[in-house]
Amino acid sequence: MKRARQKVVAENEAPQTSQKSKKQKTCSYGSVFGGSDLHASMDWGNLPHHVILRIFQFLPLVDRARASSVCRRWNEIFHIPDLWRRFEFELSQPATSYLKSTHPDLIQQIIKRHGDHLQYVSFKVDSSTESAEAACDILSQLVNCSIKTLGLISTAKPSFMNVSKAHFASALTVVFVNSKSLSSIKIDDTPLDDPSLKVLVANNSDTLKLLKMSSCPHVSPAGILCVADQCHGLKELALNYYILSDELLLALSSEKHVDLEHLRIDVVSENPGQAEFHPIKKQSWDALVKHSPKVNIVMYFFLYEEEFDAFFREETPVTHLYFGRAVTKAMLGRIGMNCPRLIELVVCANGLQPLDDELIRIAERCKNLTAMGLGECEVTCKGFIEFVKMCGGRLTQLSIMEEVLIPDNDYSLDRLHLEVSKHLGRMWFPDMMPTW
């Protein structure tokens, strides 16, 4: 009887001990958060306003929309204007794209409730015409916007080029007319035209600072000249070479114009022999550099070998050069003679003739050169070491494919990396893959 009573007491005490243990465990977790009970101390509905706002800023749009249904307060914060200053519309056709498209219902809610809050807006579209047209439809509805930056991005082929010029121009006109404070526009590979640029200038000439419009075939030299003549605060400009002119450079060099900081020029040819490239006078380049002595002039070349004849016959103040196709030895020789401001040079391909003399000439004449990249071309180890020796420690970036370097009687590849490292003042090895 006594043994039975002890068993009953033990069974009754066991749950109490377990309950006590659980309570102690809960307290130990709660103490981390400064309270005895985690659930009692963490009232998600009453988090400080700035904390919830910060959480929402890090959430993807879909998750942010779901979080807004937690409680009324979170829903109110979801619609705070500060959350809608910066927004990227992702538009895609599910069958043809990896992009996660912004839901149409959510787009309409954004336009209805936050169209006038949007300031930094971009559209990322896939390769389908439908997605580009959808972007234009959204732009057409932003009648109360105050956009400061606008970017149109095609993730694959330039789908905006398939939109009718009238539809695209109409959509841009809505934004250009209503914003009146645009400072940055990136609309590469689009059917932008001269009348649209005139509307842009008429409404945003005092605020426009950056304009990137490479591969816009409907823009003429007169159209871009209109921008330069009236947008005196323009600091960055990207365009195709065919609309670059002496008149444009002189307009950018006028006393009314602020110092230009960045000029990017794309020199592109799709079919060999079909494009003619006009020369730019040395006096025009000199005027630009005199007016804006710190300007970076960046040129991207995608030409065939027989199309380089018009370039660098005279001194040209280019600072960054990138060759996406094969470039001739003669062209590299002219760069060494006529590009004294050169800072960076990348050659993706050249041929089977060693470039020793051309590189040494570049090292001699281009005293500002700090970055070099070489791909499918050839340089002897001796010539390459001479080039590095002449440049010295100012070469902060040196990306050379291993197959570019030809061993000779003076240097093997093993010895080469030691010699180059010595002249650079840091450990250096050739690359196995391109890094530019």
Side-chain angles (χ1 to χ4, degrees):
M1 188 70 177
K2 185 177 181 180
R3 185 176 299 171
R5 190 181 298 115
Q6 289 176 342
K7 182 177 182 181
V8 171
V9 172
E11 289 175 351
N12 289 335
E13 288 179 349
Q16 294 177 2
T17 304
S18 176
Q19 190 69 25
K20 184 177 180 181
S21 175
K22 287 182 179 179
K23 187 174 181 180
Q24 290 174 343
K25 187 174 182 180
T26 301
C27 289
S28 67
Y29 281 114
S31 64
V32 176
F33 293 92
S36 61
D37 190 335
L38 173 61
H39 297 287
S41 63
M42 189 64 70
D43 187 350
W44 294 96
N46 289 319
L47 283 175
H49 178 283
H50 69 280
V51 173
I52 303 174
L53 188 61
R54 189 66 172 163
I55 292 172
F56 276 21
Q57 287 173 338
F58 281 98
L59 289 177
L61 179 61
V62 174
D63 294 336
R64 193 192 305 172
R66 289 171 180 162
S68 69
S69 64
V70 168
C71 62
R72 180 179 298 176
R73 186 161 176 269
W74 281 35
N75 185 263
E76 292 172 353
I77 294 175
F78 176 73
H79 291 291
I80 286 178
D82 286 349
L83 276 176
W84 302 99
R85 305 289 187 212
R86 191 180 303 274
F87 191 80
E88 180 175 78
F89 293 92
E90 289 189 290
L91 305 170
S92 65
Q93 303 303 306
T96 60
S97 176
Y98 65 89
L99 288 178
K100 190 174 183 179
S101 188
T102 308
H103 195 281
D105 293 342
L106 193 53
I107 289 174
Q108 288 307 311
Q109 184 181 8
I110 293 168
I111 293 172
K112 183 179 179 179
R113 298 194 60 170
H114 303 293
D116 54 341
H117 301 147
L118 297 173
Q119 293 185 355
Y120 308 94
V121 180
S122 61
F123 291 82
K124 185 183 290 184
V125 303
D126 63 6
S127 59
S128 66
T129 304
E130 293 84 354
S131 297
E133 289 177 340
C136 292
D137 292 338
I138 294 171
L139 286 170
S140 299
Q141 298 177 66
L142 299 179
V143 293
N144 296 315
C145 64
S146 55
I147 295 176
K148 294 183 178 180
T149 69
L150 174 65
L152 304 181
I153 306 164
S154 296
T155 58
K157 64 181 181 180
S159 52
F160 282 102
M161 291 303 300
N162 298 325
V163 177
S164 73
K165 189 164 69 170
H167 187 192
F168 186 80
S170 175
L172 280 188
T173 297
V174 171
V175 177
F176 290 171
V177 169
N178 290 287
S179 292
K180 299 187 183 302
S181 59
L182 277 164
S183 63
S184 173
I185 306 175
K186 300 177 182 180
I187 43 178
D188 299 330
D189 298 297
T190 63
L192 181 73
D193 57 10
D194 289 356
S196 298
L197 284 178
K198 290 181 180 179
V199 174
L200 168 67
V201 168
N203 293 276
N204 302 272
S205 61
D206 293 335
T207 58
L208 190 63
K209 291 180 172 57
L210 182 151
L211 177 60
K212 292 187 175 182
M213 40 167 287
S214 296
S215 300
C216 296
H218 303 300
V219 174
S220 71
I224 191 61
L225 186 59
C226 171
V227 175
D229 279 337
Q230 300 186 48
C231 297
H232 298 144
L234 198 65
K235 289 183 173 293
E236 294 188 40
L237 179 63
L239 44 76
N240 278 78
Y241 186 84
Y242 76 91
I243 58 175
L244 183 71
S245 64
D246 294 296
E247 291 78 10
L248 175 61
L249 293 180
L250 294 175
L252 293 170
S253 309
S254 70
E255 293 182 0
K256 296 179 180 179
H257 209 288
V258 301
D259 287 355
L260 194 68
E261 295 176 357
H262 193 91
L263 176 61
R264 168 173 168 162
I265 305 161
D266 290 348
V267 191
V268 181
S269 172
E270 299 296 338
N271 299 300
Q274 291 190 3
E276 294 185 7
F277 297 96
H278 58 281
I280 299 295
K281 296 177 181 177
K282 180 179 182 298
Q283 294 89 332
S284 304
W285 287 120
D286 290 345
L288 178 65
V289 174
K290 182 179 180 180
H291 179 74
S292 304
K294 296 182 179 180
V295 62
N296 285 316
I297 300 174
V298 183
M299 298 185 75
Y300 285 81
F301 282 87
F302 295 90
L303 300 183
Y304 295 91
E305 290 189 9
E306 60 270 24
E307 296 176 315
F308 285 107
D309 192 60
F311 299 97
F312 307 122
R313 291 289 179 181
E314 295 184 301
E315 188 171 298
T316 308
V318 64
T319 56
H320 299 72
L321 275 174
Y322 305 92
F323 292 94
R325 293 180 186 150
V327 58
T328 62
K329 282 173 63 70
M331 177 71 160
L332 292 174
R334 294 201 298 272
I335 290 170
M337 293 295 296
N338 295 318
C339 299
R341 296 179 78 238
L342 189 64
I343 295 172
E344 181 176 12
L345 174 64
V346 174
V347 179
C348 292
N350 171 259
L352 299 179
Q353 294 179 303
L355 300 177
D356 297 21
D357 294 340
E358 289 74 20
L359 290 185
I360 291 171
R361 183 177 299 155
I362 288 171
E364 286 176 342
R365 300 290 298 272
C366 305
K367 301 297 185 182
N368 297 315
L369 187 71
T370 60
M372 169 71 79
L374 295 178
E376 297 178 12
C377 49
E378 292 189 352
V379 182
T380 67
C381 288
K382 182 179 180 180
F384 180 64
I385 289 174
E386 183 64 24
F387 165 78
V388 174
K389 183 179 179 180
M390 295 175 69
C391 292
R394 76 169 191 258
L395 280 176
T396 57
Q397 291 180 287
L398 186 60
S399 180
I400 311 296
M401 295 288 291
E402 185 173 316
E403 59 264 28
V404 166
L405 302 165
I406 307 172
D408 49 41
N409 294 330
D410 296 297
Y411 297 97
S412 64
L413 287 176
D414 290 336
R415 186 184 169 195
L416 176 130
H417 94 84
L418 295 174
E419 286 291 320
V420 173
S421 299
K422 179 180 71 175
H423 295 301
L424 291 179
R426 65 181 187 276
M427 190 60 68
W428 180 89
F429 290 93
D431 295 322
M432 303 305 294
M433 295 183 64
T435 58
W436 53 85

